[in-house]
Amino acid sequence: MPDYSFLHNSNILIHVVSGSIALLLGVLALTTKKGGKWHKKTGNYFLILMTIVVLTGLIGVFVFKRNTFLLIITVLSAYYGFSGYRILKTKTNKPKWIDVSVAIASLISVSYFLYYFKSIGMYWSPIIIYSTVGALLLIITYDFVRYLIPKKAYRNMWLYEHIFKMIGAFTALLSAFSGTVFENYQPYSQFLPSVLGTLLQIGFIVYYIKKIGETEQT
């Protein structure tokens, strides 16, 4: 059997470095003016690095057979990032084949994950497993249901979706990072970043709902 240790370590290094830089860029994207030059630049680079993180994560799971739980974290962050990017580009709830295909592929991935964990016994904290799987299923379900929302009612919902999903991608990445670095403090080191992300999602969405409402009244 060939020795994959160098390739494995190289993959881990790329994964960690890309993820760390993506987190810093995510913070910049959150704190800079929305729609501005720096927000767009940091957001684009964040997505590029997220792609690298996802690819190296999948390589780690399927090639080097390491930490299968990372599969669902990877799928969650990838789906959030992809869907958040797509809604910014389309700004509509009209079905697109690429969006439907990625949603179905994500459902298949989470189904494989649940089957695998059931077969070997769930040795991860239930709160982490169920919350992660639940978050992915919830957002995918919404992405199918939103196709039924009338165009007039949908209006500015694309903006709230973009905010929710991009913060979700950042939060998933942060949870994976903190859960790995502060492994002795699990499940809190993975769960608390999700709580922070939820508060950020609510805060930003409420802010823009009020801002858009005030603009429409003037």
Side-chain angles (χ1 to χ4, degrees):
M1 291 289 290
D3 183 5
Y4 288 117
S5 59
F6 174 75
L7 294 175
H8 184 206
N9 289 332
S10 298
N11 186 68
I12 292 175
L13 179 63
I14 295 172
H15 183 80
V16 171
V17 171
S18 298
S20 299
I21 298 174
L23 282 174
L24 294 175
L25 291 173
V27 172
L28 289 174
L30 284 170
T31 55
T32 52
K33 181 180 179 181
K34 305 303 175 280
K37 176 183 176 181
W38 286 108
H39 178 75
K40 291 179 180 178
K41 278 191 173 183
T42 53
N44 287 335
Y45 285 123
F46 171 79
L47 287 172
I48 291 171
L49 288 168
M50 274 291 295
T51 302
I52 297 174
V53 170
V54 168
L55 291 176
T56 51
L58 292 175
I59 290 172
V61 172
F62 290 108
V63 176
F64 300 113
K65 310 298 182 183
R66 303 293 295 180
N67 201 343
T68 305
F69 179 70
L70 288 179
L71 172 64
I72 196 62
I73 290 286
T74 300
V75 173
L76 176 64
S77 57
Y79 188 79
Y80 267 129
F82 170 81
S83 190
Y85 169 79
R86 285 288 301 163
I87 195 61
L88 182 63
K89 289 299 180 182
T90 61
K91 297 179 182 178
T92 178
N93 62 336
K94 183 178 179 181
K96 305 288 184 180
W97 71 267
I98 187 170
D99 300 316
V100 174
S101 299
V102 171
I104 292 174
S106 299
L107 282 175
I108 293 173
S109 297
V110 75
S111 298
Y112 163 78
F113 168 81
L114 290 174
Y115 169 79
Y116 176 82
F117 261 67
K118 184 178 180 181
S119 65
I120 66 172
M122 291 192 177
Y123 55 87
W124 283 81
S125 172
I127 191 174
I128 299 300
I129 293 176
Y130 295 137
S131 61
T132 304
V133 172
L136 180 58
L137 292 176
L138 181 65
I139 196 65
I140 293 176
T141 300
Y142 167 78
D143 277 350
F144 282 120
V145 172
R146 71 190 180 97
Y147 296 138
L148 304 176
I149 300 175
K151 184 177 180 180
K152 186 177 181 180
Y154 189 74
R155 297 180 64 199
N156 297 315
M157 287 181 65
W158 68 267
L159 174 61
Y160 312 138
E161 280 187 40
H162 175 69
I163 293 171
F164 184 90
K165 291 172 179 177
M166 294 310 297
I167 293 178
F170 171 79
T171 302
L173 188 61
L174 180 61
S175 294
F177 177 85
S178 63
T180 302
V181 175
F182 304 107
E183 185 176 3
N184 292 333
Y185 297 95
Q186 290 186 13
Y188 302 105
S189 58
Q190 285 184 302
F191 179 71
L192 291 180
S194 298
V195 175
L196 172 63
T198 300
L199 294 175
L200 287 173
Q201 287 168 327
I202 294 172
F204 274 103
I205 291 174
V206 169
Y207 170 78
Y208 278 98
I209 288 176
K210 290 183 177 179
K211 185 176 181 180
I212 291 173
E214 291 172 356
T215 301
E216 291 177 346
Q217 289 177 3
T218 57

